[in-house]
Amino acid sequence: MKLERRQDRAISDVFITEELDRRAPKETDSLQEKLALQDLAGRMADHPAEVLPRFVDLAMEMTGGVSAGLSLYEPDPGPGVFRWRYLRGRLAPFEHATTPRNSSPCGVTLDCNRPVLSSHPERVYDWISDAGIVVPEVLLVPLYLGGKEPLGTLWIVADKEGHFDSGHARVLTELAGFVGIALRMLDSERQLKAALEQQERLTSEMSHRVKNLFALTAGIVRVSEKAAKTPAEMSKMVSGRLDALAEADALVRRSFANKAQAEMVDLAELVAKIMRPHAPPDTRSHFVVEGPPILLGQRATNGLALVLHELATNAAKHGALKSQEGVVALSWRAEREQLVLCWLERGGPKIARPPESSGFGTRLSQSTIISQFEGELSYGWKPDGLIVSMKIPVVALSK
């Protein structure tokens, strides 16, 4: 208990925010403040990536500090850390260093949600003294995205005690508020752009899918016609296969419905529904499927349905499913926080060489696995059949 009280006293000794109100602000340079805001506004419009580093430069210029930087908050894994970015001056060599969220002046600043002044914080925080850093005085200002989401803190270090005053705190708070609004606007713009790109991709995918559905339906009719002995038997075959095709397509189109999160789907169930329209009319299976139970969220279900449907459609048009003797082996396993899937075709037409260009289906698969899931996708065009390898982070499967 005595040790805790000593630590509390030590912390209260290094945080001297009340001194800001006691120190008379230096003469205000209104023109410099106006030009600083214009500078940030111009960069936000023309070069948005330069807003944060320029913010740090302006902070040093307007306060006369010897070093400055941003401690950007990374909440995961909790309670999170601060990562030092855009460092200027004496502490520039510590770029990308991290400090603990709950044991740093930056954490105190976010907790207080106002400017904080500290004198020699190395007396309390061992990670500062262990790095050989001496901080006579540091002014910290919270930085929020649009005033809501914590981005981190701006900090400026002075080379002597008594340097910062309430005027410095006011100017930096105004700049921080402007930057937070600017970053919120940029974030909204990025989200809107991503949504428009997603909509365009979905529109193209649906157009492509309708064409595939017509082609696949025609193929189902032809195959069923050869195998059926009577019109009634053919009708039953066609109806059943079209029903299976509709189930698979419903999984693909589920992302278009504005509904609540769907229940988790087992990967084996998804594979079965996607493959049913491509099964032959006889009792012989063209598919060998093997893998442990893997649960998929709605987004993962939709994405994998797209990819598997493209692979199956391609195999029916050009690969193993085009031949009565063809076989597709699909296997998956969990390995090092990743789902590893392998699509292996055998018994189809011989492959003389890889295709000269990528079709829409290949591009869609790459967009889904690589861009959407941040995974890996590779094709192996072997003479006796196509091999496709996919790796997807396990964390992406539950979404």
Side-chain angles (χ1 to χ4, degrees):
M1 183 66 71
K2 291 182 178 180
L3 177 60
E4 291 179 358
R5 284 198 292 267
R6 286 199 298 270
Q7 289 177 334
D8 291 341
R9 284 198 299 270
I11 291 176
S12 64
D13 288 341
V14 302
F15 287 101
I16 55 172
T17 306
E18 65 277 1
E19 287 294 319
L20 289 174
D21 296 328
R22 298 192 185 106
R23 298 173 186 174
K26 300 176 179 63
E27 185 176 349
T28 302
D29 190 337
S30 301
L31 178 60
Q32 185 184 27
E33 294 180 29
K34 179 180 179 181
L35 292 176
L37 289 173
Q38 290 177 346
D39 187 345
L40 289 174
R43 290 175 189 272
M44 181 185 70
D46 300 328
H47 306 285
E50 297 179 3
V51 169
L52 289 180
R54 183 54 181 157
F55 177 43
V56 176
D57 291 334
L58 288 172
M60 278 192 64
E61 294 172 11
M62 300 179 74
T63 61
V66 296
S67 189
L70 295 177
S71 290
L72 300 182
Y73 179 47
E74 298 178 1
D76 297 321
V81 297
F82 291 101
R83 187 174 300 276
W84 288 10
R85 292 299 316 276
Y86 312 114
L87 271 59
R88 302 291 188 264
R90 296 178 183 177
L91 297 182
F94 292 93
E95 180 78 17
H96 287 290
T98 59
T99 57
R101 162 64 175 88
N102 291 341
S103 181
S104 71
C106 296
V108 173
T109 303
L110 284 188
D111 292 338
C112 294
N113 193 20
R114 62 185 176 88
V116 167
L117 184 64
S118 178
S119 177
H120 289 286
E122 69 273 12
R123 292 181 294 174
V124 172
Y125 300 105
D126 292 339
W127 58 266
I128 301 180
S129 57
D130 291 344
I133 302 174
V134 177
V135 185
E137 197 165 86
V138 57
L139 177 62
L140 304 99
V141 178
L143 185 58
Y144 284 81
L145 281 174
K148 297 179 180 179
E149 183 180 345
L151 178 67
T153 66
L154 163 73
W155 46 264
I156 309 96
V157 174
D159 59 357
K160 62 180 180 180
E161 298 179 30
H163 178 85
F164 295 110
D165 56 44
S166 58
H168 295 136
R170 178 191 60 78
V171 170
L172 295 183
T173 299
E174 291 178 359
L175 288 180
F178 179 84
V179 170
I181 295 172
L183 292 175
R184 173 63 72 183
M185 292 172 61
L186 293 173
D187 185 59
S188 298
E189 182 180 349
R190 283 193 294 267
Q191 292 183 22
L192 177 60
K193 183 179 179 181
L196 290 174
E197 291 176 350
Q198 174 72 0
Q199 187 62 45
E200 290 177 0
R201 184 164 61 250
L202 290 174
T203 301
S204 298
E205 186 275 324
M206 285 303 295
S207 176
H208 171 71
R209 184 151 305 286
V210 169
K211 295 178 182 178
N212 271 348
L213 287 174
F214 279 119
L216 190 54
T217 301
I220 288 174
V221 172
R222 286 195 301 270
V223 171
S224 301
E225 181 184 16
K226 294 179 181 179
K229 297 179 181 179
T230 65
E233 186 178 355
M234 178 179 172
S235 175
K236 184 177 180 180
M237 285 183 177
V238 172
S239 296
R241 297 169 74 79
L242 289 179
D243 286 343
L245 179 60
E247 288 182 5
D249 193 61
L251 287 174
V252 173
R253 293 186 294 105
R254 203 161 57 183
S255 60
F256 288 87
N258 185 19
K259 297 180 180 179
Q261 182 73 18
E263 294 181 359
M264 302 292 279
V265 175
D266 187 78
L267 177 56
E269 177 191 1
L270 172 65
V271 170
K273 287 189 176 182
I274 295 298
M275 300 311 168
R276 276 181 61 190
H278 304 278
D282 53 32
T283 57
R284 179 182 175 276
S285 176
H286 280 207
F287 297 97
V288 177
V289 179
E290 182 180 9
I294 298 291
L295 293 180
L296 307 173
Q298 182 180 17
R299 181 167 174 262
T301 299
N302 293 329
L304 283 176
L306 286 173
V307 173
L308 294 174
H309 190 67
E310 290 300 331
L311 289 172
T313 302
N314 184 73
K317 290 180 178 179
H318 312 291
L321 299 184
K322 189 176 182 179
S323 168
Q324 286 294 328
E325 303 301 321
V327 175
V328 172
L330 177 60
S331 62
W332 61 85
R333 67 185 186 278
E335 180 181 287
R336 297 180 181 178
E337 301 301 319
Q338 288 186 319
L339 174 66
V340 180
L341 298 96
C342 181
W343 174 282
L344 175 64
E345 297 184 26
R346 290 290 184 269
K350 295 294 182 181
I351 300 177
R353 60 182 180 274
E356 295 180 358
S357 60
S358 298
F360 179 85
T362 300
R363 295 194 298 272
L364 177 64
S365 297
Q366 291 173 336
S367 174
T368 301
I369 299 298
I370 298 174
S371 300
Q372 180 178 331
F373 293 147
E374 298 184 354
E376 301 175 19
L377 175 65
S378 62
Y379 291 82
W381 303 94
K382 306 298 182 181
D384 53 347
L386 172 66
I387 301 175
V388 182
S389 176
M390 293 168 272
K391 293 182 179 180
I392 303 173
V394 172
V395 67
L397 299 178
S398 61
K399 298 179 180 179

